[in-house]
Structures are given as structure tokens and as C-alpha cells.
């Protein structure tokens, strides 16, 4: 791969800064497709992997809270048994060549489910064209995980009719807020860089409540792919019924290996505050460092997007700290080449 470390960091950072603009462009494109919801469809699967899947989780947080639509993200080559003619199946693959996504997309076709496809090209676009499936084309040439604004914005545009009122204005407002924060978050002296410095080589454990659960997943996958190091995530109150036991048993020596990032979202969630406090005091007794990070926007969409943006910049700060190029994810490319040999002929792009 010809991209140098400097180029990789510069590109990733440019794409990350473009998140607010990507969201607006993606949303407009999703709306412009003028997809008509088939009659009788009240549930949906959104199929995708990795950087192309997280948009479905974020969308689901909104649809669960604000609509009657049942939406299930699918990260599998197979579909739940209940997917059929009354389920909308949306396949999202940035490259358009991901095996699991193509396989589930085909399966949805065999089951007679109405379908939609989202990609920057690849086999998914080609199959959609051949089979008369509406296809949303997103701009190509960037790493899938750095195209989240296009993918999520596109999904929000496609699913806009399922909401009681259009998301256009709130997305505009949220993207302005994101835009106003970009420079502070991106600077090497900003809060994400300071936090990355405090964490150092310790293993980050990102815990949150249901409100920001998809964001915690995004933080961990971005740290893994951009900074090339592991990060774990978990959700309260569930983790108080299992992970708590592991934390409780931690020895003094082991405590130094971890750093807990506590993502705090909607404070009105029943009982969540007390549960965060309970965990924090256990961790304090164990001498595990904890950093609470609050996202207080009243609007759910704005809150989620601000938290995604923060984590994306944190992952880049970790990459800088570790001296690694955030762009290439060669391990994923190798896996795809080895497991999909004889499948997609296209070589995955550098960042994907
Ligand atoms: C790479 C990335 C990966 C890909 C995943 C699926 O930037 O984030 O997680 O998203 O390998 O590939 P696509 O998105 O092309 O379907």
C-alpha cells in the first residue's frame, strides 16, 4: 500500500472532520431516493458488517425510542426465520463486496422480502441493478468506518418516513453542533488527546447505559481499527450481573492494566445514575481509574452523534500516541482475501 503514515493520518483526520457534512449529504441522498415503503411492512432488518453495520445500531436506537417500527441489525450471512415479504431488508456495505452482507441480501431476495441496498459500488450495486432493487450510492474512496456520516445519514433519509416527523431539522441542528466542536476535539491538546494520554497502554473498558450502547461499540471498534489495539465495551445495568464479578475479583496488580471510560447519556433513565455510582465506587476501591464522559444534549440524535464524534477523535488520538497509521486495516484485508478467495475479485480498499 503506497499511503505513508502521514498521509493515512491526514486522510483519516480529514474524513473524521467531515462527519457533520457527510451526515447532511447522506440524509439528502437517502430522501432523494424517494423510496416508497411497501404496504404492510412494519419491520426491517438492516444487514451489514463492521463500519457498515454501526449505522444500523444507531438508527435502531432512534426507531426503538420514537417509532413503532421493529428494526433488527443483522451481522450475519443468514437471516432470522421471520424475515419474509413483510420485512424490509436493507443491505449496507460500503465496498459492496462483503461476503456476509451479499449472502444475506441474496437470502432476503429468495424469501421475497422487499429490499434496498446501500454501497459505494461493488457487487451489491451490480446485483441491485440486475434485480431491480433500489440502490443508494454513497461517495467512494474512503475507509468504510470513516464513511459513517454518509451511511447513517443515508439510512436516516431512507427511514425518515417511519418517524412521526422528519428528522431533517434536528439533523441540521445536530450537524451544526458537531461542526462547532470539530476543531476542539481534533487538536492534539484537546480533551480526547488528553484522555488518550491518561489511558496510555491500559486496556480501555467502555461502559455505558442503553442510551449510548451503540456508541460504546463504535468507540471500541474505532480504537481497534484506527489505533490497532483492543478495547472492550459493555452496557449497564446488564454488566452489573456478570462483569461486576470479574471487577470484584481483580487483584491490585491487575487493576493497573485497565482504564474505565464511563459514557453517560440520558440522566433521566431510571436507576442508571445509581448503577454508574455503584460501579464507580467498586472500581475506586480496586484502584481502577475511571473517566466519566458526559453527553448531555436533550435530543437523542444529537446526543448520540456528539458521542460518536468524540470517540472517533479519541481513536485518532490513540493512533497518534501509539505512532501507528490509523488508515490501513491490513488484518481485515488479509482475512477477506483468504476467506473470500474465489469470491469477490476486487481487492478491499486500504481502509477496509
Ligand atoms: C473498514 C471497516 C470494516 C468494514 C467491514 C465491512 O474501514 O470499518 O469494519 O466496514 O470489513 O466491509 P464493508 O463496509 O465494505 O461492507
Amino acid at each position: 500500500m503506497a499511503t505513508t503514515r502521514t498521509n493515512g493520518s491526514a486522510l483519516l483526520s480529514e474524513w473524521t472532520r467531515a462527519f457533520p457534512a457527510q451526515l447532511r449529504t447522506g440524509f439528502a441522498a437517502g430522501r432523494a431516493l424517494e423510496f416508497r415503503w411497501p404496504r404492510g411492512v412494519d419491520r426491517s432488518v438492516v444487514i451489514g458488517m463492521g463500519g457498515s453495520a454501526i449505522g444500523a445500531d444507531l438508527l435502531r436506537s432512534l426507531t426503538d425510542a420514537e417509532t413503532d417500527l421493529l428494526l433488527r441489525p443483522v451481522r450475519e450471512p443468514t437471516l432470522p426465520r421471520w424475515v419474509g415479504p413483510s420485512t424490509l431488508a436493507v443491505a449496507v456495505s460500503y465496498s459492496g463486496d462483503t461476503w456476509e452482507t451479499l449472502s444475506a441480501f441474496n437470502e432476503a431476495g429468495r424469501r421475497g422480502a422487499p429490499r434496498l441496498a446501500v454501497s459505494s459500488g461493488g457487487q451489491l450495486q451490480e446485483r441491485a441493478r440486475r434485480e431491480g432493487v433500489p440502490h443508494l450510492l454513497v461517495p467512494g474512496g474512503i475507509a468504510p468506518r470513516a464513511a459513517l456520516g454518509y451511511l447513517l445519514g443515508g439510512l436516516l433519509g431512507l427511514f425518515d418516513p417511519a418517524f412521526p416527523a422528519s428528522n431533517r431539522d434536528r439533523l441540521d441542528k445536530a450537524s451544526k453542533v458537531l461542526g462547532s466542536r470539530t476543531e476542539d476535539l481534533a487538536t492534539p491538546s484537546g480533551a480526547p488527546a488528553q484522555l488518550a494520554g491518561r489511558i496510555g497502554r491500559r486496556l480501555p473498558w467502555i461502559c455505558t447505559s442503553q442510551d449510548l450502547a451503540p456508541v460504546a461499540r463504535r468507540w471500541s471498534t474505532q480504537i481497534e481499527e484506527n489505533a490497532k489495539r483492543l478495547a472492550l465495551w459493555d452496557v449497564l445495568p446488564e454488566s452489573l450481573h456478570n462483569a461486576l464479578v470479574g471487577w470484584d475479583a481483580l487483584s491490585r496488580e491487575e487493576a493497573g492494566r485497565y482504564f474505565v471510560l464511563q459514557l453517560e447519556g440520558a440522566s433521566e433513565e431510571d436507576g442508571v445514575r445509581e448503577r454508574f455510582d455503584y460501579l464507580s465506587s467498586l472500581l475506586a476501591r480496586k484502584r481502577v481509574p475511571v473517566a466519566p464522559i458526559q453527553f448531555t444534549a436533550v435530543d437523542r440524535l444529537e446526543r448520540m452523534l456528539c458521542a460518536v464524534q468524540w470517540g472517533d477523535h479519541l481513536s485518532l488520538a490513540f493512533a497518534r500516541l501509539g505512532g501507528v497509521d490509523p488508515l490501513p486495516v491490513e488484518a481485515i484485508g488479509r482475512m477477506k482475501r483468504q476467506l473470500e478467495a474465489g469470491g469477490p475479485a476486487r481487492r478491499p480498499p486500504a481502509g477496509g
Side-chain angles (χ1 to χ4, degrees):
M1 219 259 306
T3 313
T4 65
R5 175 182 298 179
T6 327
N7 281 344
S9 310
L11 281 172
L12 235 308
S13 138
E14 183 190 319
W15 296 329
T16 305
R17 282 164 190 260
F19 182 51
Q22 282 190 10
L23 284 162
R24 286 194 302 271
T25 307
F27 183 81
R31 284 301 308 243
L33 201 70
E34 290 182 350
F35 173 70
R36 282 186 201 286
W37 275 75
R39 285 170 87 88
V41 167
D42 60 355
R43 54 196 178 176
S44 178
V45 283
V46 182
I47 306 154
M49 303 300 292
S52 291
I54 193 72
D57 298 321
L58 294 161
L59 174 68
R60 181 213 182 149
S61 279
L62 287 182
T63 54
D64 272 1
E66 301 173 13
T67 76
D68 293 330
L69 179 75
L70 182 64
L71 190 152
R72 165 90 66 93
V74 169
R75 290 177 164 87
E76 299 281 339
T78 52
L79 292 170
R81 195 181 147 82
W82 47 262
V83 173
S86 57
T87 310
L88 174 67
V90 185
V92 184
S93 167
Y94 183 75
S95 62
D97 287 331
T98 297
W99 167 72
E100 292 89 339
T101 313
L102 290 169
S103 161
F105 174 76
N106 290 343
E107 180 65 27
R110 285 194 290 276
R111 304 242 196 118
R115 289 180 296 169
L116 271 174
V118 182
S119 78
S120 67
Q123 296 184 58
L124 187 58
Q125 182 183 25
E126 181 49 30
R127 286 188 201 183
R129 190 191 57 74
R130 270 202 323 259
E131 295 167 24
V133 174
H135 176 263
L136 177 65
L137 184 68
V138 295
I142 61 186
R145 61 190 182 284
L148 176 63
Y150 291 129
L151 299 173
L152 172 61
L155 285 175
L156 283 168
L158 293 171
F159 281 83
D160 207 38
F163 285 81
S166 173
N167 284 308
R168 186 190 311 270
D169 291 347
R170 71 201 284 217
L171 187 68
D172 272 351
K173 177 175 172 285
S175 70
K176 285 196 185 94
V177 172
L178 296 173
S180 70
R181 295 183 173 185
T182 303
E183 291 314 315
D184 283 350
L185 294 173
T187 172
S189 57
Q194 287 180 25
L195 182 59
R198 275 178 65 202
I199 298 170
R201 289 306 306 170
R202 282 181 280 219
L203 180 69
W205 190 71
I206 303 148
C207 81
T208 192
S209 65
Q210 198 49 48
D211 184 52
L212 293 177
V215 177
R217 183 179 200 140
R218 169 76 174 177
W219 281 39
S220 103
T221 58
Q222 286 289 82
I223 293 169
E224 286 166 346
E225 292 185 58
N226 288 341
K228 281 75 174 156
R229 51 184 281 180
L230 288 172
L232 305 175
W233 66 282
D234 214 334
V235 180
L236 291 177
E238 173 63 17
S239 55
L240 296 188
H241 298 268
N242 29 65
L244 183 74
V245 183
W247 288 119
D248 188 56
L250 213 64
S251 68
R252 183 61 67 78
E253 304 80 68
E254 288 171 315
R257 296 191 205 143
Y258 302 95
F259 196 108
V260 173
L261 301 176
Q262 207 161 273
L263 298 195
E264 299 177 8
S267 53
E268 71 271 17
E269 278 183 299
D270 285 343
V272 166
R273 178 75 275 144
E274 293 87 316
R275 281 159 180 80
F276 270 131
D277 291 347
Y278 184 88
L279 180 64
S280 307
S281 49
L282 172 79
L283 294 168
R285 280 201 307 280
K286 293 283 168 182
R287 311 251 169 106
V288 177
V290 179
I293 306 150
Q294 273 123 14
F295 297 96
T296 53
V298 175
D299 179 50
R300 179 181 299 272
L301 177 61
E302 182 179 323
R303 192 162 65 241
M304 280 190 325
L305 295 175
C306 287
V308 165
Q309 181 193 37
W310 217 102
D312 284 3
H313 286 285
L314 177 67
S315 70
L316 294 180
F318 270 129
R320 275 197 305 275
L321 192 72
V324 300
D325 184 343
L327 180 59
V329 283
E330 187 43 41
I332 299 177
R334 240 184 352 259
M335 175 277 292
K336 287 183 178 179
R337 285 194 295 277
Q338 187 170 327
L339 297 181
E340 296 166 20
R346 257 174 46 145
R347 207 183 142 88

